[in-house]
Amino acid sequence: MISFKNEIAKSISKITNIEEKELESYIEIPPNNDLGDYAFPCFKLAKTLRKAPNVIAQEIKEQIDADETIIERIEIIGGYLNIYINKEKLVQTVLTEISEKKEMYGSSNIGQGKNVVIDYSAPNIAKPFHIGHLRSTVIGGALYKIYNFLGYNSVGINYLGDWGLQFGKVMAGYDMWKDEYDFTKDEIQSILKIYVRFTQEEKENPKLTEKAREYFKKLEDGNKKQVETWKWIRKISLENYQKTYKLLNAKFDSYNGESYYNDKMDAVVEELKEKGLLKESEGAQVVNLSEYDMPPCIIITSAGTTIYATRDLASLKDRINKYDFEKAIYVVGNEQRLHFKQVFKVLELMGYQKYASRCEHVPFGLVVDKNGEKIGSRKGNSVFLEDILKEAIQKVEKIIEEKNPNIENKEEVARKVGVGAIIFNDLSNSRIKDEIFDWDMLLNFQGETGPYIQYIYVRTRSLLEKAGYEPKIDDVDFSVLQEKEAIDTIKLLYRFNEIVESAAQKNEPSIVARYLIDVAQSFSTFYNEHKIITEDKTIQNARLYLSSCVGTVLKTGVELLGMEMPEKM
Ligand code: ARG
């Protein structure tokens, strides 16, 4: 697809003898369409060219010999060149490209041959599945798809929290109280209840914590009974998570969690020792990070056991060896910021600067209700993700029952819309912000929601159905799509690839989510202003074709976010 930015840069380069690439990086998209399609700030060149910005602007405007089929006209406002591109060219460029690439429109291969390791979801087995893990699952899942779409090879790792003191707690609790709970059905609920009860009772009774340590030590030492119990808990927990993952359509390439590194930590500890990084401190073995304004990174506790950071270092070394990654992304809550800073620093100090610089913690905010209160934090009152998703589906089923009871595949539509609403709500604001979880808001079909985008998509489909045919690109006269609303929509479609690349660069799926809202709203304006099914077949073909292109981009976009698109709703 031609790059208008690049064409403009080329033309300015011919006049100024400044590198195209540099010029291209200065080109802006004006805040509103009245100021042109692109703007070039001439003051950026004032120093190099030793001329005043308005003089530069004048010279460029006079000398530019860009093909008229690309630049339509240029205006000068306060040292800026406001550049208007040829609209017919734009329309032709975008619609032709979509007709050729279809659901691959917007993709690229900038990532070819490069691995991106994405660490996401990672619930802690035996502890309640925290709602924060929903965020990690959804954000990580979107990044996985976005990177793949740009040609990278995404590797999704569910680094299960399947090792640690929480197992000691559950095992000790189980031995004490198992008769009080029902293990014949829904055993996972009973396990969780035991965990929650244990953590409450140990606050009053520190002896319990001691007991949990003993149990965990037995597990670490390979005691047969404890290992059996551990395996059982891990198995039923995973089965339980799978139900949620299935609803969310979440897939992972690896489930190597913390336990997988149990026998791989000695090597890391050895390496740290050899490299002179381990220091003794109050009985623990630590890497001193005071030079970098951080508390020491504990590698071996005073009780002689390894911890979370040790396991993350072992897994990083494993990921370097296995994947030689271009990027390693950790989609984990903001409260672990320090942990990752420490781990990446230690990796660097170990001599792996190249890989340390490719690691990135991708944090996100809490989930709160509309009053700003944290969800899922109340003691013993854990929110089950599966229940939330099912509730969403049920609510949508009710809406369908009221509005469109005769629709085919009701259940499937309700699932796509209900789950989509939850996913979109999670991704529609920049991830570091707290996510507001409010049923009325996230299911509002008129709001900035997943259902709204799906609804607009379904409209594009029903228009084609109403017309009774799908026009071909050869039937489209590009010159008839000149209304402001059509051009606005097409300009947005033109930017799709740039949007996806920027979402990857910032690890911010909300950039795609906001974009989809813009596209849907823009098309909706077009559609409200201009009849699509009309007498004039030339106009009808062109408008229908645009509708179908909008549909293609909306569908590709929501799928990048991990949602599914219904054909009817
Ligand atoms: N299981 C951890 C938690 O829930 C998250 C793990 C994140 N990944 C990692 N490599 N540390 O807090």
Side-chain angles (χ1 to χ4, degrees), residues 119 122-124 133 159 161 258 308 312 319 330 332 336 339-340:
D119 181 313
N124 298 318
H133 293 118
Y159 184 74
E258 294 189 51
Y308 191 46
D312 255 329
R319 290 172 192 182
Y330 292 80
V332 186
Q336 294 193 27
H339 164 76
F340 286 108

Side-chain angles (χ1 to χ4, degrees), residues 173-271:
Y174 180 73
D175 272 358
M176 288 185 290
W177 306 316
K178 63 172 168 295
D179 298 338
E180 297 172 42
Y181 296 87
D182 183 3
F183 281 93
T184 53
K185 59 173 206 297
D186 223 0
E187 37 201 352
I188 189 80
Q189 297 287 351
S190 301
I191 292 284
L192 292 177
K193 282 186 190 140
I194 288 179
Y195 174 81
V196 172
R197 173 167 168 193
F198 195 96
T199 52
Q200 274 164 9
E201 291 196 10
E202 77 180 322
K203 280 187 201 134
E204 258 98 77
N205 183 0
K207 282 219 180 87
L208 283 181
T209 315
E210 276 313 301
K211 202 165 176 161
R213 286 226 171 83
E214 282 161 28
Y215 271 82
F216 181 52
K217 180 92 177 75
K218 280 196 218 162
L219 174 64
E220 285 210 287
D221 293 344
N223 177 299
K224 216 170 156 220
K225 181 169 167 245
Q226 310 311 334
V227 171
E228 285 305 309
T229 317
W230 171 77
K231 278 192 184 151
W232 169 66
I233 297 174
R234 189 181 190 275
K235 181 172 155 277
I236 58 172
S237 304
L238 263 183
E239 281 165 7
N240 185 258
Y241 299 151
Q242 287 307 344
K243 291 191 221 155
T244 306
Y245 291 146
K246 199 168 160 229
L247 283 172
L248 286 172
N249 225 337
K251 294 193 183 79
F252 302 92
D253 300 302
S254 159
Y255 283 88
N256 286 349
E258 294 189 51
S259 71
Y260 178 80
Y261 294 98
N262 199 31
D263 60 358
K264 297 172 184 60
M265 277 180 297
D266 288 349
V268 176
V269 175
E270 239 359 88
E271 190 177 338

Side-chain angles (χ1 to χ4, degrees), residues 511-563:
I511 294 175
V512 173
R514 304 302 317 168
Y515 167 80
L516 295 175
I517 292 286
D518 289 345
V519 172
Q521 285 175 344
S522 173
F523 177 71
S524 164
T525 310
F526 170 68
Y527 162 100
N528 288 331
E529 299 281 323
H530 306 282
K531 271 215 174 75
I532 291 182
I533 307 286
T534 87
E535 302 283 270
D536 184 332
K537 289 302 160 222
T538 309
I539 292 186
Q540 172 164 310
N541 281 342
R543 290 182 181 169
L544 268 182
Y545 202 83
L546 174 58
S547 310
S548 118
C549 288
V550 166
T552 302
V553 170
L554 290 179
K555 182 156 190 269
T556 306
V558 299
E559 286 173 0
L560 285 179
L561 300 181
M563 298 161 59

Side-chain angles (χ1 to χ4, degrees), residues 288-494:
N288 190 324
L289 297 174
S290 59
E291 223 181 291
Y292 312 98
D293 279 336
M294 282 186 261
C297 182
I298 303 174
I299 302 295
I300 298 190
T301 66
S302 52
T305 58
T306 56
I307 60 170
Y308 191 46
T310 330
R311 288 190 276 279
D312 255 329
L313 283 168
S315 71
L316 256 169
K317 287 214 62 189
D318 185 40
R319 290 172 192 182
I320 292 173
N321 291 335
K322 274 196 188 130
Y323 307 114
D324 183 25
F325 54 76
E326 176 73 16
K327 293 190 192 192
I329 293 167
Y330 292 80
V331 187
V332 186
N334 201 23
E335 64 285 352
Q336 294 193 27
R337 192 176 279 270
L338 176 62
H339 164 76
F340 286 108
K341 260 181 87 179
Q342 290 177 310
V343 167
F344 301 159
K345 194 51 156 185
V346 174
L347 187 73
E348 183 191 316
L349 296 175
M350 287 170 86
Y352 305 102
Q353 289 90 344
K354 181 174 99 181
Y355 291 103
S357 70
R358 294 176 176 186
C359 290
E360 193 178 338
H361 175 211
V362 172
F364 50 81
L366 304 171
V367 183
V368 297
D369 64 20
K370 60 180 168 207
N371 304 314
E373 198 173 320
K374 206 170 146 184
I375 289 186
S377 60
R378 267 162 298 164
K379 265 184 268 149
N381 187 6
S382 42
V383 185
F384 284 94
L385 296 190
E386 197 196 344
D387 295 342
I388 294 185
L389 294 170
K390 282 191 175 151
E391 192 171 341
I393 297 171
Q394 276 163 13
K395 284 183 193 286
V396 174
E397 268 168 4
K398 248 177 91 188
I399 300 174
I400 294 178
E401 222 40 80
E402 282 162 21
K403 291 195 173 158
N404 197 357
N406 299 321
I407 189 174
E408 286 165 49
N409 304 328
K410 239 183 266 183
E411 276 159 41
E412 195 188 309
V413 174
R415 182 181 59 80
K416 289 179 177 173
V417 177
V419 174
I422 301 270
I423 293 178
F424 195 86
N425 187 56
D426 197 311
L427 298 177
S428 57
N429 286 308
S430 73
R431 57 181 155 72
I432 201 69
K433 283 198 190 157
D434 287 350
E435 173 191 343
I436 301 170
F437 194 97
D438 174 36
W439 284 116
D440 292 334
M441 202 170 82
L442 68 93
L443 284 175
N444 181 352
F445 282 52
Q446 312 296 329
E448 298 184 349
T449 62
Y452 170 69
I453 294 172
Q454 289 168 324
Y455 171 73
I456 296 294
Y457 170 79
V458 166
R459 282 218 163 165
T460 67
R461 302 313 297 167
S462 61
L463 281 166
L464 293 168
E465 200 172 304
K466 208 159 141 200
Y469 69 100
E470 220 163 308
K472 307 244 163 3
I473 186 80
D474 299 333
D475 305 331
V476 180
D477 176 349
F478 303 115
S479 71
V480 301
L481 284 171
Q482 293 297 316
E483 303 85 2
K484 180 183 176 307
E485 296 77 15
I487 296 294
D488 286 351
T489 305
I490 294 168
K491 271 169 80 176
L492 277 169
L493 299 182
Y494 175 72

